[in-house]
Amino acid sequence: MNDDRPTREGPDPVTGGGTGPAGNPPAWWVYRGDGGKLAARDLDEVLMGPPPWRRFDGEPLQPRPPEDEAEVTRRIGPAGQGSGTGRPVNVDEADMVNAALYLRRPLLITGRPGSGKSALAYRITRELRLGRVLRWPVTTRTTLRSGLYDYDAIARAQDAATYRAAAEAGAESADDRIVDKARVGDYIQLGPLGTALLPHRLPRVLLIDELDKSDIDLPNDLLNVFEEGEYTIPELVRSAPREPEATVLTDDPGVTARIRDGRVRCRAFPLIIITSNGEREFPPALLRRCLRLEMPVPDEEELAAMVAARFGLEAGGRGDELVRLFVARSAREGGLPADQLLNSVYLATSDRFTPDGDWERLLASLWRNFDAARPG
C-alpha cells in the first residue's frame, strides 16, 4: 500500500471522532466519506493491488466508464453543498467501504428504510471518480440472468427472415447475408451486473438494491459470479466459431463492449453495494463472501447535513427547526424514513406554507411510520 496519504481537492478537513492521529482520517483510508473528491489522477495511484485470490485478468480492456453527475446530484445533492466536507464522517462506514475496496469483496448493508443505504453508492462514486453507478433494483421476479444480460431471440428471428427474403429476391446467397447482418451480438444487451463485470482497469460501482426482496434462489445464484468474477453468454459461445468477437450493448446508455468467445471476465472486481432492509436472512455462503455494515438511523447532525446537501442556504432556520421536530417525532414513532423529512423541507422552503394549523396537519400526514411489522 502506498504510504502517502491520498490528497483531495480543496481543504483537507479534520473529521473528528478520533479517527486517526490528531483526529485526521487513518492513512489507509482511500474513501473518507466527507465528500471531497480524490485529487489523484485516479484510484490506481493510491489503492494497493488485490489479494492473490481476488486477481482477475479479463480482456479486452474496456474504455473508462461514463460519468453521470446529474444522477448523482439527484440522489445525494450537489457537490460541495453540504454533501461535501460538511458531512459528518461515519467511521464504521468508511472502514468497511475501504476494506471492500482493498479485498475486492461485496459490501452488504442492512438498515431501516430511509437510512441512506443506497445513497452510499453515489457518495463513493463521486468521491473516488468511478463513473456512473450501475443500479440493479431487485424484485421477486428478478433472476441472475436479468442482471447479467438479455437476448432478444424474437427480434433476431424476425430480422433473419427479412434478410433471407431480401437475399432470395436479389438472387444472392441467403446464408451469407443472414450471417453478415443478423449477428448475435446485435441482439444482446448486458444488465447492470453483467456490465459491472466487464474488464475495466478500475472497479465499477454496482448497487444491488433491496436483495431481501428477491426470490429465494437469487442469493445462492450470485455465489459463483461473486467468487469467479466472470460469466458466459451461451448464445455468443455457440456463435464464436464464426463470430469470435461480438459487440454488445451495455447497461450504460449508448455504450457498447467487445466480448471474446462469449466469456466475460472482470479485470478489477467491481465495488458491489448490496442493500437490505433486514426483512430476511441470507444463506451463510453469501454472507461469507460479503463484508457487512449495519447502517444506523441518521442522527440530528447527519439529517442536518442531508438537508444542507439538498437545499443549501434555502433551508435556513426553517430547515433546522424541521430537523429538530423530525428527530423527536421519529423517536416517538420508532423510526421514520429520512425522505419524509426532505419532503417537508421542500414544501417549507416553497413559501406556500406558514407555521399554522394547516402546516401542522400536513406534517402529521407526512411524518408517519408505515412499517407493517411495527406493533400498534
Side-chain angles (χ1 to χ4, degrees), residues 151-212:
Y151 172 55
D152 195 341
I154 295 176
R156 183 168 186 257
Q158 292 173 338
D159 288 348
T162 301
Y163 299 149
R164 182 178 290 107
E168 292 172 349
E172 299 179 12
S173 170
D175 290 339
D176 290 344
R177 293 291 297 275
I178 293 168
V179 169
D180 182 54
K181 291 191 174 184
R183 294 181 178 273
V184 178
D186 294 341
Y187 303 91
I188 288 176
Q189 180 169 8
L190 304 185
L193 175 57
T195 301
L197 290 169
L198 286 169
H200 287 279
R201 189 170 57 85
L202 298 176
R204 293 296 303 265
V205 177
L206 170 66
L207 172 61
I208 303 180
D209 215 4
E210 298 192 332
L211 183 61
D212 50 345

Short mmCIF file of all heavy atoms in Angstrom, two decimals, residues 151-212:
data_model
loop_
_atom_site.label_atom_id
_atom_site.label_comp_id
_atom_site.label_asym_id
_atom_site.label_seq_id
_atom_site.Cartn_x
_atom_site.Cartn_y
_atom_site.Cartn_z
N TYR A 151 -31.18 -11.36 -24.12
CA TYR A 151 -31.03 -11.74 -25.53
C TYR A 151 -32.40 -11.72 -26.18
O TYR A 151 -33.32 -12.43 -25.76
CB TYR A 151 -30.42 -13.14 -25.63
CG TYR A 151 -30.40 -13.70 -27.04
CD1 TYR A 151 -29.80 -13.01 -28.08
CD2 TYR A 151 -30.97 -14.95 -27.31
CE1 TYR A 151 -29.76 -13.53 -29.36
CE2 TYR A 151 -30.95 -15.48 -28.59
CZ TYR A 151 -30.35 -14.76 -29.61
OH TYR A 151 -30.32 -15.28 -30.88
N ASP A 152 -32.54 -10.89 -27.21
CA ASP A 152 -33.82 -10.74 -27.91
C ASP A 152 -33.86 -11.71 -29.08
O ASP A 152 -33.60 -11.35 -30.24
CB ASP A 152 -34.00 -9.30 -28.39
CG ASP A 152 -35.43 -9.00 -28.79
OD1 ASP A 152 -36.18 -9.96 -29.05
OD2 ASP A 152 -35.79 -7.81 -28.87
N ALA A 153 -34.21 -12.97 -28.80
CA ALA A 153 -34.22 -14.00 -29.83
C ALA A 153 -35.31 -13.76 -30.87
O ALA A 153 -35.15 -14.07 -32.05
CB ALA A 153 -34.40 -15.38 -29.19
N ILE A 154 -36.44 -13.20 -30.43
CA ILE A 154 -37.55 -12.97 -31.36
C ILE A 154 -37.16 -11.94 -32.42
O ILE A 154 -37.40 -12.12 -33.62
CB ILE A 154 -38.81 -12.52 -30.59
CG1 ILE A 154 -39.30 -13.66 -29.69
CG2 ILE A 154 -39.90 -12.08 -31.55
CD1 ILE A 154 -40.48 -13.27 -28.82
N ALA A 155 -36.53 -10.84 -31.98
CA ALA A 155 -36.12 -9.82 -32.94
C ALA A 155 -35.10 -10.37 -33.93
O ALA A 155 -35.14 -10.06 -35.12
CB ALA A 155 -35.54 -8.62 -32.20
N ARG A 156 -34.20 -11.22 -33.45
CA ARG A 156 -33.19 -11.79 -34.36
C ARG A 156 -33.85 -12.71 -35.39
O ARG A 156 -33.49 -12.70 -36.58
CB ARG A 156 -32.13 -12.55 -33.59
CG ARG A 156 -31.03 -13.10 -34.50
CD ARG A 156 -29.84 -13.60 -33.73
NE ARG A 156 -28.78 -13.96 -34.66
CZ ARG A 156 -28.46 -15.21 -34.99
NH1 ARG A 156 -29.14 -16.24 -34.46
NH2 ARG A 156 -27.48 -15.45 -35.84
N ALA A 157 -34.82 -13.52 -34.95
CA ALA A 157 -35.51 -14.41 -35.88
C ALA A 157 -36.27 -13.61 -36.94
O ALA A 157 -36.27 -13.97 -38.13
CB ALA A 157 -36.45 -15.33 -35.11
N GLN A 158 -36.91 -12.53 -36.51
CA GLN A 158 -37.65 -11.70 -37.46
C GLN A 158 -36.71 -11.04 -38.46
O GLN A 158 -37.00 -11.00 -39.67
CB GLN A 158 -38.45 -10.64 -36.70
CG GLN A 158 -39.60 -11.21 -35.88
CD GLN A 158 -40.27 -10.16 -35.00
OE1 GLN A 158 -39.67 -9.13 -34.68
NE2 GLN A 158 -41.50 -10.42 -34.59
N ASP A 159 -35.58 -10.53 -37.97
CA ASP A 159 -34.63 -9.89 -38.88
C ASP A 159 -34.02 -10.90 -39.83
O ASP A 159 -33.81 -10.61 -41.03
CB ASP A 159 -33.52 -9.19 -38.08
CG ASP A 159 -34.01 -7.94 -37.39
OD1 ASP A 159 -35.13 -7.48 -37.70
OD2 ASP A 159 -33.28 -7.42 -36.52
N ALA A 160 -33.73 -12.11 -39.33
CA ALA A 160 -33.16 -13.14 -40.19
C ALA A 160 -34.11 -13.49 -41.33
O ALA A 160 -33.70 -13.69 -42.48
CB ALA A 160 -32.81 -14.38 -39.37
N ALA A 161 -35.41 -13.57 -40.99
CA ALA A 161 -36.40 -13.87 -42.04
C ALA A 161 -36.45 -12.74 -43.07
O ALA A 161 -36.55 -12.99 -44.28
CB ALA A 161 -37.77 -14.06 -41.39
N THR A 162 -36.35 -11.51 -42.61
CA THR A 162 -36.34 -10.37 -43.54
C THR A 162 -35.11 -10.39 -44.44
O THR A 162 -35.21 -10.20 -45.66
CB THR A 162 -36.39 -9.05 -42.76
OG1 THR A 162 -37.57 -9.02 -41.95
CG2 THR A 162 -36.39 -7.85 -43.70
N TYR A 163 -33.94 -10.66 -43.87
CA TYR A 163 -32.72 -10.71 -44.66
C TYR A 163 -32.76 -11.87 -45.66
O TYR A 163 -32.30 -11.73 -46.80
CB TYR A 163 -31.50 -10.87 -43.74
CG TYR A 163 -31.30 -9.74 -42.77
CD1 TYR A 163 -30.73 -9.97 -41.51
CD2 TYR A 163 -31.67 -8.44 -43.08
CE1 TYR A 163 -30.55 -8.94 -40.61
CE2 TYR A 163 -31.50 -7.40 -42.18
CZ TYR A 163 -30.94 -7.66 -40.95
OH TYR A 163 -30.76 -6.63 -40.05
N ARG A 164 -33.33 -13.01 -45.23
CA ARG A 164 -33.41 -14.16 -46.12
C ARG A 164 -34.29 -13.84 -47.33
O ARG A 164 -33.93 -14.14 -48.48
CB ARG A 164 -33.95 -15.37 -45.38
CG ARG A 164 -34.03 -16.64 -46.24
CD ARG A 164 -34.53 -17.82 -45.45
NE ARG A 164 -33.54 -18.26 -44.46
CZ ARG A 164 -33.67 -18.07 -43.16
NH1 ARG A 164 -34.73 -17.41 -42.69
NH2 ARG A 164 -32.75 -18.49 -42.34
N ALA A 165 -35.43 -13.21 -47.05
CA ALA A 165 -36.34 -12.86 -48.15
C ALA A 165 -35.69 -11.87 -49.11
O ALA A 165 -35.80 -11.99 -50.33
CB ALA A 165 -37.63 -12.29 -47.59
N ALA A 166 -34.97 -10.89 -48.53
CA ALA A 166 -34.31 -9.89 -49.39
C ALA A 166 -33.21 -10.53 -50.22
O ALA A 166 -33.03 -10.20 -51.40
CB ALA A 166 -33.75 -8.77 -48.54
N ALA A 167 -32.45 -11.45 -49.63
CA ALA A 167 -31.37 -12.11 -50.36
C ALA A 167 -31.91 -12.98 -51.48
O ALA A 167 -31.37 -13.00 -52.59
CB ALA A 167 -30.53 -12.94 -49.38
N GLU A 168 -32.98 -13.72 -51.19
CA GLU A 168 -33.57 -14.58 -52.22
C GLU A 168 -34.13 -13.75 -53.37
O GLU A 168 -34.01 -14.11 -54.54
CB GLU A 168 -34.63 -15.47 -51.61
CG GLU A 168 -34.05 -16.52 -50.67
CD GLU A 168 -35.14 -17.28 -49.92
OE1 GLU A 168 -36.32 -16.84 -49.99
OE2 GLU A 168 -34.80 -18.28 -49.26
N ALA A 169 -34.72 -12.61 -53.04
CA ALA A 169 -35.28 -11.75 -54.08
C ALA A 169 -34.18 -11.17 -54.96
O ALA A 169 -34.37 -10.94 -56.16
CB ALA A 169 -36.09 -10.62 -53.46
N GLY A 170 -33.02 -10.98 -54.39
CA GLY A 170 -31.91 -10.44 -55.15
C GLY A 170 -31.02 -11.50 -55.76
O GLY A 170 -29.96 -11.19 -56.29
N ALA A 171 -31.42 -12.75 -55.64
CA ALA A 171 -30.68 -13.89 -56.20
C ALA A 171 -29.26 -13.96 -55.63
O ALA A 171 -28.31 -14.33 -56.32
CB ALA A 171 -30.65 -13.81 -57.73
N GLU A 172 -29.09 -13.56 -54.35
CA GLU A 172 -27.79 -13.68 -53.69
C GLU A 172 -27.83 -14.84 -52.71
O GLU A 172 -28.89 -15.44 -52.46
CB GLU A 172 -27.46 -12.37 -52.96
CG GLU A 172 -27.37 -11.16 -53.88
CD GLU A 172 -27.07 -9.90 -53.10
OE1 GLU A 172 -26.72 -10.04 -51.91
OE2 GLU A 172 -27.19 -8.81 -53.67
N SER A 173 -26.70 -15.15 -52.12
CA SER A 173 -26.64 -16.24 -51.15
C SER A 173 -27.32 -15.83 -49.86
O SER A 173 -26.84 -14.93 -49.17
CB SER A 173 -25.18 -16.62 -50.88
OG SER A 173 -25.11 -17.50 -49.78
N ALA A 174 -28.44 -16.45 -49.56
CA ALA A 174 -29.19 -16.08 -48.36
C ALA A 174 -28.39 -16.33 -47.10
O ALA A 174 -28.38 -15.53 -46.16
CB ALA A 174 -30.50 -16.84 -48.31
N ASP A 175 -27.66 -17.46 -47.06
CA ASP A 175 -26.90 -17.80 -45.85
C ASP A 175 -25.84 -16.75 -45.55
O ASP A 175 -25.65 -16.34 -44.41
CB ASP A 175 -26.25 -19.17 -46.00
CG ASP A 175 -27.28 -20.29 -45.99
OD1 ASP A 175 -28.39 -20.05 -45.48
OD2 ASP A 175 -26.97 -21.38 -46.50
N ASP A 176 -25.14 -16.27 -46.58
CA ASP A 176 -24.10 -15.27 -46.35
C ASP A 176 -24.70 -13.97 -45.84
O ASP A 176 -24.16 -13.32 -44.96
CB ASP A 176 -23.32 -15.01 -47.64
CG ASP A 176 -22.45 -16.19 -48.02
OD1 ASP A 176 -22.23 -17.05 -47.15
OD2 ASP A 176 -22.01 -16.26 -49.19
N ARG A 177 -25.82 -13.56 -46.40
CA ARG A 177 -26.44 -12.31 -45.99
C ARG A 177 -26.94 -12.39 -44.55
O ARG A 177 -26.83 -11.43 -43.79
CB ARG A 177 -27.61 -11.97 -46.92
CG ARG A 177 -27.20 -11.64 -48.34
CD ARG A 177 -26.44 -10.31 -48.39
NE ARG A 177 -27.29 -9.22 -47.96
CZ ARG A 177 -28.12 -8.57 -48.77
NH1 ARG A 177 -28.18 -8.87 -50.06
NH2 ARG A 177 -28.86 -7.59 -48.32
N ILE A 178 -27.49 -13.53 -44.17
CA ILE A 178 -28.02 -13.69 -42.81
C ILE A 178 -26.90 -13.62 -41.79
O ILE A 178 -26.98 -12.92 -40.78
CB ILE A 178 -28.80 -15.01 -42.68
CG1 ILE A 178 -30.06 -14.96 -43.56
CG2 ILE A 178 -29.18 -15.27 -41.22
CD1 ILE A 178 -30.72 -16.29 -43.73
N VAL A 179 -25.79 -14.35 -42.06
CA VAL A 179 -24.67 -14.34 -41.13
C VAL A 179 -24.09 -12.94 -41.01
O VAL A 179 -23.69 -12.49 -39.94
CB VAL A 179 -23.60 -15.35 -41.59
CG1 VAL A 179 -22.32 -15.16 -40.79
CG2 VAL A 179 -24.10 -16.76 -41.46
N ASP A 180 -24.05 -12.22 -42.14
CA ASP A 180 -23.45 -10.90 -42.15
C ASP A 180 -24.29 -9.88 -41.39
O ASP A 180 -23.75 -9.00 -40.72
CB ASP A 180 -23.26 -10.44 -43.60
CG ASP A 180 -22.58 -9.08 -43.67
OD1 ASP A 180 -21.51 -8.93 -43.06
OD2 ASP A 180 -23.14 -8.18 -44.31
N LYS A 181 -25.61 -9.98 -41.47
CA LYS A 181 -26.47 -8.95 -40.91
C LYS A 181 -27.09 -9.32 -39.57
O LYS A 181 -27.21 -8.47 -38.69
CB LYS A 181 -27.57 -8.59 -41.91
CG LYS A 181 -27.04 -7.86 -43.14
CD LYS A 181 -28.18 -7.29 -43.96
CE LYS A 181 -27.65 -6.43 -45.11
NZ LYS A 181 -28.75 -5.80 -45.87
N ALA A 182 -27.52 -10.57 -39.40
CA ALA A 182 -28.21 -10.97 -38.16
C ALA A 182 -27.20 -11.50 -37.15
O ALA A 182 -27.30 -12.64 -36.69
CB ALA A 182 -29.30 -11.99 -38.45
N ARG A 183 -26.23 -10.68 -36.80
CA ARG A 183 -25.22 -11.10 -35.84
C ARG A 183 -25.81 -11.20 -34.44
O ARG A 183 -26.58 -10.33 -34.02
CB ARG A 183 -24.04 -10.12 -35.85
CG ARG A 183 -23.26 -10.13 -37.17
CD ARG A 183 -22.09 -9.16 -37.11
NE ARG A 183 -21.32 -9.19 -38.33
CZ ARG A 183 -20.32 -10.03 -38.57
NH1 ARG A 183 -19.98 -10.90 -37.64
NH2 ARG A 183 -19.67 -10.01 -39.71
N VAL A 184 -25.41 -12.24 -33.71
CA VAL A 184 -25.99 -12.49 -32.39
C VAL A 184 -25.75 -11.31 -31.45
O VAL A 184 -26.63 -10.91 -30.69
CB VAL A 184 -25.40 -13.78 -31.80
CG1 VAL A 184 -25.96 -14.02 -30.39
CG2 VAL A 184 -25.70 -14.97 -32.69
N GLY A 185 -24.55 -10.74 -31.50
CA GLY A 185 -24.22 -9.65 -30.59
C GLY A 185 -25.13 -8.45 -30.71
O GLY A 185 -25.31 -7.70 -29.74
N ASP A 186 -25.73 -8.26 -31.90
CA ASP A 186 -26.62 -7.12 -32.10
C ASP A 186 -27.90 -7.23 -31.28
O ASP A 186 -28.64 -6.25 -31.15
CB ASP A 186 -26.97 -6.97 -33.57
CG ASP A 186 -25.77 -6.61 -34.42
OD1 ASP A 186 -24.77 -6.14 -33.84
OD2 ASP A 186 -25.81 -6.81 -35.65
N TYR A 187 -28.19 -8.42 -30.76
CA TYR A 187 -29.45 -8.66 -30.06
C TYR A 187 -29.23 -8.95 -28.57
O TYR A 187 -30.12 -9.45 -27.90
CB TYR A 187 -30.20 -9.82 -30.73
CG TYR A 187 -30.43 -9.55 -32.20
CD1 TYR A 187 -29.50 -9.95 -33.16
CD2 TYR A 187 -31.55 -8.84 -32.62
CE1 TYR A 187 -29.70 -9.67 -34.50
CE2 TYR A 187 -31.75 -8.55 -33.96
CZ TYR A 187 -30.82 -8.96 -34.89
OH TYR A 187 -31.01 -8.66 -36.22
N ILE A 188 -28.05 -8.62 -28.09
CA ILE A 188 -27.72 -8.84 -26.68
C ILE A 188 -27.42 -7.50 -26.02
O ILE A 188 -26.73 -6.65 -26.59
CB ILE A 188 -26.50 -9.78 -26.54
CG1 ILE A 188 -26.92 -11.20 -26.91
CG2 ILE A 188 -25.91 -9.72 -25.13
CD1 ILE A 188 -25.78 -12.19 -26.90
N GLN A 189 -27.98 -7.31 -24.82
CA GLN A 189 -27.65 -6.14 -24.01
C GLN A 189 -27.30 -6.61 -22.60
O GLN A 189 -28.05 -7.37 -21.98
CB GLN A 189 -28.80 -5.14 -23.94
CG GLN A 189 -28.47 -3.92 -23.08
CD GLN A 189 -29.46 -2.79 -23.20
OE1 GLN A 189 -30.52 -2.94 -23.80
NE2 GLN A 189 -29.14 -1.64 -22.62
N LEU A 190 -26.16 -6.17 -22.12
CA LEU A 190 -25.74 -6.54 -20.77
C LEU A 190 -26.56 -5.81 -19.73
O LEU A 190 -26.93 -4.65 -19.92
CB LEU A 190 -24.26 -6.22 -20.57
CG LEU A 190 -23.28 -6.85 -21.57
CD1 LEU A 190 -21.84 -6.52 -21.16
CD2 LEU A 190 -23.47 -8.36 -21.68
N GLY A 191 -26.84 -6.49 -18.61
CA GLY A 191 -27.53 -5.88 -17.49
C GLY A 191 -26.54 -5.17 -16.58
O GLY A 191 -25.33 -5.12 -16.84
N PRO A 192 -27.01 -4.65 -15.45
CA PRO A 192 -26.11 -3.93 -14.53
C PRO A 192 -24.98 -4.79 -13.99
O PRO A 192 -23.82 -4.36 -13.97
CB PRO A 192 -27.05 -3.48 -13.41
CG PRO A 192 -28.42 -3.50 -14.02
CD PRO A 192 -28.42 -4.60 -15.02
N LEU A 193 -25.29 -6.02 -13.56
CA LEU A 193 -24.25 -6.91 -13.05
C LEU A 193 -23.31 -7.32 -14.18
O LEU A 193 -22.08 -7.35 -14.01
CB LEU A 193 -24.88 -8.15 -12.41
CG LEU A 193 -23.93 -9.24 -11.92
CD1 LEU A 193 -22.93 -8.69 -10.91
CD2 LEU A 193 -24.71 -10.41 -11.33
N GLY A 194 -23.88 -7.65 -15.35
CA GLY A 194 -23.04 -8.02 -16.48
C GLY A 194 -22.12 -6.92 -16.91
O GLY A 194 -20.95 -7.16 -17.28
N THR A 195 -22.58 -5.68 -16.87
CA THR A 195 -21.74 -4.53 -17.23
C THR A 195 -20.66 -4.30 -16.19
O THR A 195 -19.51 -3.98 -16.52
CB THR A 195 -22.61 -3.28 -17.39
OG1 THR A 195 -23.60 -3.50 -18.40
CG2 THR A 195 -21.78 -2.07 -17.78
N ALA A 196 -21.00 -4.45 -14.91
CA ALA A 196 -20.02 -4.24 -13.84
C ALA A 196 -18.85 -5.21 -13.94
O ALA A 196 -17.73 -4.89 -13.53
CB ALA A 196 -20.69 -4.37 -12.48
N LEU A 197 -19.09 -6.40 -14.50
CA LEU A 197 -18.06 -7.43 -14.58
C LEU A 197 -17.22 -7.34 -15.86
O LEU A 197 -16.34 -8.18 -16.07
CB LEU A 197 -18.69 -8.82 -14.47
CG LEU A 197 -19.24 -9.17 -13.08
CD1 LEU A 197 -20.07 -10.43 -13.13
CD2 LEU A 197 -18.11 -9.32 -12.08
N LEU A 198 -17.48 -6.35 -16.70
CA LEU A 198 -16.61 -6.15 -17.86
C LEU A 198 -15.20 -5.80 -17.37
O LEU A 198 -15.02 -5.25 -16.28
CB LEU A 198 -17.15 -5.01 -18.73
CG LEU A 198 -18.40 -5.33 -19.56
CD1 LEU A 198 -18.98 -4.05 -20.15
CD2 LEU A 198 -18.08 -6.33 -20.67
N PRO A 199 -14.17 -6.11 -18.16
CA PRO A 199 -12.80 -5.85 -17.72
C PRO A 199 -12.42 -4.38 -17.78
O PRO A 199 -11.97 -3.87 -18.81
CB PRO A 199 -11.95 -6.68 -18.70
CG PRO A 199 -12.80 -6.85 -19.91
CD PRO A 199 -14.22 -6.88 -19.43
N HIS A 200 -12.63 -3.68 -16.67
CA HIS A 200 -12.21 -2.29 -16.52
C HIS A 200 -10.96 -2.24 -15.66
O HIS A 200 -10.73 -3.09 -14.80
CB HIS A 200 -13.32 -1.47 -15.84
CG HIS A 200 -14.49 -1.20 -16.73
ND1 HIS A 200 -14.50 -0.20 -17.67
CD2 HIS A 200 -15.70 -1.81 -16.82
CE1 HIS A 200 -15.66 -0.18 -18.30
NE2 HIS A 200 -16.41 -1.15 -17.81
N ARG A 201 -10.15 -1.20 -15.86
CA ARG A 201 -8.93 -1.03 -15.08
C ARG A 201 -9.24 -0.66 -13.64
O ARG A 201 -8.54 -1.05 -12.71
CB ARG A 201 -8.04 0.03 -15.73
CG ARG A 201 -6.64 0.14 -15.12
CD ARG A 201 -5.76 1.03 -15.97
NE ARG A 201 -6.36 2.35 -16.13
CZ ARG A 201 -6.22 3.34 -15.25
NH1 ARG A 201 -5.53 3.13 -14.15
NH2 ARG A 201 -6.77 4.51 -15.45
N LEU A 202 -10.31 0.11 -13.43
CA LEU A 202 -10.76 0.49 -12.10
C LEU A 202 -12.12 -0.14 -11.83
O LEU A 202 -12.90 -0.37 -12.77
CB LEU A 202 -10.86 2.01 -11.98
CG LEU A 202 -9.56 2.79 -12.17
CD1 LEU A 202 -9.83 4.29 -12.12
CD2 LEU A 202 -8.54 2.41 -11.11
N PRO A 203 -12.44 -0.42 -10.58
CA PRO A 203 -13.72 -1.07 -10.28
C PRO A 203 -14.92 -0.19 -10.61
O PRO A 203 -14.91 1.01 -10.33
CB PRO A 203 -13.64 -1.37 -8.78
CG PRO A 203 -12.63 -0.40 -8.26
CD PRO A 203 -11.64 -0.18 -9.36
N ARG A 204 -15.95 -0.79 -11.20
CA ARG A 204 -17.23 -0.11 -11.34
C ARG A 204 -17.98 -0.19 -10.02
O ARG A 204 -17.78 -1.12 -9.23
CB ARG A 204 -18.08 -0.77 -12.43
CG ARG A 204 -17.59 -0.66 -13.84
CD ARG A 204 -17.53 0.76 -14.36
NE ARG A 204 -18.80 1.47 -14.31
CZ ARG A 204 -19.66 1.57 -15.33
NH1 ARG A 204 -19.39 0.95 -16.48
NH2 ARG A 204 -20.77 2.28 -15.23
N VAL A 205 -18.87 0.76 -9.78
CA VAL A 205 -19.73 0.73 -8.59
C VAL A 205 -21.08 0.16 -9.02
O VAL A 205 -21.76 0.71 -9.89
CB VAL A 205 -19.91 2.13 -7.99
CG1 VAL A 205 -20.86 2.07 -6.80
CG2 VAL A 205 -18.56 2.70 -7.55
N LEU A 206 -21.45 -0.97 -8.41
CA LEU A 206 -22.72 -1.63 -8.69
C LEU A 206 -23.58 -1.61 -7.44
O LEU A 206 -23.14 -2.06 -6.38
CB LEU A 206 -22.49 -3.07 -9.15
CG LEU A 206 -23.74 -3.95 -9.24
CD1 LEU A 206 -24.68 -3.45 -10.35
CD2 LEU A 206 -23.37 -5.41 -9.48
N LEU A 207 -24.79 -1.09 -7.56
CA LEU A 207 -25.74 -1.07 -6.46
C LEU A 207 -26.80 -2.14 -6.70
O LEU A 207 -27.59 -2.04 -7.64
CB LEU A 207 -26.40 0.31 -6.36
CG LEU A 207 -27.57 0.46 -5.37
CD1 LEU A 207 -27.11 0.17 -3.94
CD2 LEU A 207 -28.19 1.85 -5.48
N ILE A 208 -26.79 -3.20 -5.88
CA ILE A 208 -27.84 -4.22 -5.91
C ILE A 208 -28.83 -3.85 -4.82
O ILE A 208 -28.57 -4.06 -3.63
CB ILE A 208 -27.27 -5.63 -5.70
CG1 ILE A 208 -26.20 -5.95 -6.76
CG2 ILE A 208 -28.38 -6.67 -5.76
CD1 ILE A 208 -25.59 -7.33 -6.64
N ASP A 209 -29.94 -3.26 -5.21
CA ASP A 209 -30.83 -2.60 -4.27
C ASP A 209 -31.93 -3.54 -3.78
O ASP A 209 -32.68 -4.10 -4.56
CB ASP A 209 -31.45 -1.37 -4.94
CG ASP A 209 -31.65 -0.22 -3.96
OD1 ASP A 209 -31.24 -0.36 -2.79
OD2 ASP A 209 -32.22 0.81 -4.36
N GLU A 210 -32.00 -3.70 -2.46
CA GLU A 210 -33.03 -4.47 -1.76
C GLU A 210 -33.02 -5.94 -2.18
O GLU A 210 -34.02 -6.49 -2.63
CB GLU A 210 -34.41 -3.83 -1.98
CG GLU A 210 -34.51 -2.43 -1.42
CD GLU A 210 -35.94 -1.90 -1.38
OE1 GLU A 210 -36.75 -2.33 -2.21
OE2 GLU A 210 -36.22 -1.06 -0.51
N LEU A 211 -31.90 -6.59 -1.96
CA LEU A 211 -31.77 -8.01 -2.27
C LEU A 211 -32.74 -8.85 -1.46
O LEU A 211 -33.13 -9.95 -1.88
CB LEU A 211 -30.33 -8.47 -2.04
CG LEU A 211 -30.01 -9.92 -2.40
CD1 LEU A 211 -30.25 -10.17 -3.89
CD2 LEU A 211 -28.57 -10.27 -2.02
N ASP A 212 -33.14 -8.37 -0.29
CA ASP A 212 -34.07 -9.14 0.53
C ASP A 212 -35.46 -9.26 -0.10
O ASP A 212 -36.29 -10.03 0.36
CB ASP A 212 -34.18 -8.57 1.95
CG ASP A 212 -34.43 -7.08 1.97
OD1 ASP A 212 -34.25 -6.42 0.94
OD2 ASP A 212 -34.82 -6.56 3.04
#
